[in-house]
Amino acid sequence: MKRLDKFLGDQGIGTRKEIKDYVKNGVVKVNGIVAKKPDMHIDEENDEVVFMGQILVYEKFRYYMLNKPADVVSATKDGKSITVLNLLKNENVKGLSPVGRLDKDTEGLLILTDDGGLIHSLLSPTKHVDKEYEVHLEHEISSSDIKKLEEGVDIGDIKKSGEKDITLPAKCRLGEKDEKGRSVIYLTLHEGRFHQVKRMLEAVGNKVEYLKRVRMGAVILDSNLDFGEYRRLTLEEIESLKNN
């Protein structure tokens, strides 16, 4: 059971004062009856709540896929830049957080949810969830450099023991050259270190010119989404993330 005003607030209807006024003005119905008190208790999973003629559907958690454009920050708040939450137009973004971060200049797949358990699971270092990136390079890349990336490279990290912290083995495949004639690889990582893709390519004497995440776990970036567009994850996609 949940208070009506709390339920409406979780739906992004308004502030507590605004919700109180809505109830007072008779625009909220519960099971076809006009609600009289904002603090009345409802069964959020079974009662039908209607606000201004619109049925409000209870969701325990929300899951979105966003095709993040460059120059957008993977954060919930930022005083200077547009954040990924700003791109979810007309959505209730209360409680939503990005699952991990993409650099400001990095584009592609970003998952946003208010399911804290799933976020923790996907970001846990012990889970080794796949993250695949499309990487456009400054220079040609050799088969020997691809082998180095797959075996693990030294990107300057040090373990607590004082030993070099080599990256975990990755997967790397060569793609078609881009429209500018640059080499393209698809690099799959199983960890999430700071600027890891860029630092790994620097470790083999190359430089990332363009970076885009195309997959996380079994969820692939929807090719129908333009930069800045988003959609809800399907039930199959949500289950695949939970079963990683």
Side-chain angles (χ1 to χ4, degrees):
M1 301 291 284
K2 180 180 287 190
R3 281 174 48 139
L4 177 61
D5 53 3
K6 178 68 166 60
F7 174 81
L8 294 172
D10 289 345
Q11 296 282 332
I13 296 301
T15 65
R16 180 171 292 185
K17 183 181 183 305
E18 288 171 336
I19 290 169
K20 186 177 180 180
D21 289 339
Y22 289 139
V23 173
K24 182 180 179 181
N25 292 330
V27 297
V28 180
K29 293 182 178 180
V30 178
N31 297 327
I33 301 172
V34 175
K36 300 294 184 182
K37 296 181 179 181
D39 61 352
M40 68 176 288
H41 284 80
I42 64 167
D43 181 342
E44 66 269 31
E45 295 188 42
N46 297 306
D47 288 340
E48 181 186 78
V49 180
V50 177
F51 172 69
M52 291 187 175
Q54 178 183 356
I55 296 175
L56 302 178
V57 179
Y58 170 75
E59 294 177 297
K60 186 174 182 180
F61 298 116
R62 292 159 292 149
Y63 308 86
Y64 295 90
M65 170 191 295
L66 170 70
N67 188 356
K68 177 192 168 302
D71 299 322
V72 174
V73 177
S74 298
T76 56
K77 294 181 181 180
D78 189 277
K80 298 179 181 178
S81 303
I82 296 173
T83 72
V84 290
L85 291 189
N86 295 141
L87 300 178
L88 271 63
K89 305 292 186 182
N90 303 317
E91 298 288 344
N92 172 23
V93 299
K94 182 179 180 180
L96 291 180
S97 295
V99 181
R101 293 178 180 270
L102 292 177
D103 293 342
K104 190 174 181 179
D105 62 346
T106 300
E107 300 178 339
L109 174 64
L110 191 66
I111 294 168
L112 299 104
T113 182
D114 53 354
D115 186 345
L118 179 64
I119 293 174
H120 176 76
S121 176
L122 292 175
L123 299 182
S124 171
T126 61
K127 290 288 186 176
H128 303 310
V129 177
D130 285 357
K131 292 173 281 289
E132 184 177 2
Y133 296 85
E134 177 185 319
V135 192
H136 297 228
L137 303 173
E138 183 179 57
H139 308 300
E140 294 277 347
I141 187 166
S142 65
S143 56
S144 62
D145 285 342
I146 288 177
K147 185 179 180 181
K148 290 177 184 177
L149 293 173
E150 292 185 325
E151 292 176 344
V153 291
D154 177 9
I155 60 174
D157 290 343
I158 304 295
K159 296 180 179 179
K160 290 182 180 179
S161 63
E163 299 177 302
K164 292 180 179 179
D165 192 2
I166 305 301
T167 59
L168 291 177
K171 295 178 183 178
C172 185
R173 61 183 175 89
L174 193 62
E176 299 290 332
K177 289 192 174 182
D178 67 14
E179 67 282 356
K180 295 182 180 179
R182 299 177 298 194
S183 291
V184 176
I185 60 170
Y186 290 86
L187 185 65
T188 301
L189 307 181
H190 314 289
E191 52 187 341
R193 305 193 199 184
F194 182 69
H195 292 329
Q196 184 170 348
V197 175
K198 296 173 183 177
R199 294 163 68 199
M200 286 179 71
L201 270 300
E202 288 173 0
V204 295
N206 217 313
K207 182 180 178 182
V208 174
E209 293 283 298
Y210 173 79
L211 185 59
K212 177 181 179 181
R213 184 156 67 193
V214 295
R215 180 173 63 86
M216 186 169 192
V219 175
I220 300 171
L221 178 63
D222 191 330
S223 60
N224 293 315
L225 293 178
D226 289 331
F227 291 117
E229 292 185 340
Y230 66 92
R231 67 164 173 79
R232 295 284 187 120
L233 289 186
T234 65
L235 291 176
E236 291 78 12
E237 288 169 335
I238 295 168
E239 286 304 310
S240 74
L241 291 175
K242 290 182 176 180
N243 293 329
N244 256 297

